Amino acid sequence: MQLFLMRHGEASFDAPSDRERKLTEIGRIHSGYMANWLVKNISHFDLVIVSPYLRAQQTWQEVSKHLPEPRKLVVLDDVTPSGDAKRATDVVLAYAEQYKADHVLVIAHMPILGFMVSELVAGIEPPLFATSAIAQIDKHMQQCSFVAMTAPHQVVS
């Protein structure tokens, strides 16, 4: 299975609550850059899991313009910023198994994404994700390996 963990695009702090923060124009543009990068690396996603927070939902809206519709889309409370990384990882992997997903995209937040990488890949420290950045992890049986971290500034030519 190929697992792509993506942080939402840049978001404004001008909102009534953290849950309601909206993407900035740069956040939308960078999410589009990363969607184009995804298209060059993968043809489709079997499963997409997105945080219910507005900025993550808007990131998915931008990314989804560039990709075929996934077989399954799940909005998951477990991948919010203060979620438990072990639980989030277990739930994501359970959904992937349930839907026999070979290509999975998770759009969520810091710090949970960094901690999820550590849960998946033995011995790795939680990486920092720039906004719109994507970590790619390959999972074969019980083995997970960290492939790469890609950020918008790396894909703009």
Side-chain angles (χ1 to χ4, degrees), residues 68-82:
E69 188 173 331
R71 271 198 341 234
K72 182 69 178 173
L73 173 65
V74 176
V75 176
L76 187 64
D77 285 326
D78 292 305
V79 294
T80 57
S82 61

Side-chain angles (χ1 to χ4, degrees), residues 33-43 66-67 155-157:
Y33 291 162
M34 295 311 293
N36 287 327
W37 177 84
L38 282 168
V39 166
K40 291 176 185 170
N41 289 280
I42 191 158
S43 62
H66 303 265
L67 292 163
V155 299
V156 178
S157 32

Side-chain angles (χ1 to χ4, degrees), residues 2 17 27 40 49 53-54 58 75 83 87 91 100 105 117 121 125-127 139 148:
Q2 288 186 307
S17 71
K40 291 176 185 170
I49 295 175
Y53 283 31
L54 181 58
Q58 289 177 323
V75 176
R87 177 171 168 69
V91 171
K100 296 178 179 29
L105 174 64
V117 171
V121 183
E125 290 292 318
K139 183 178 186 314

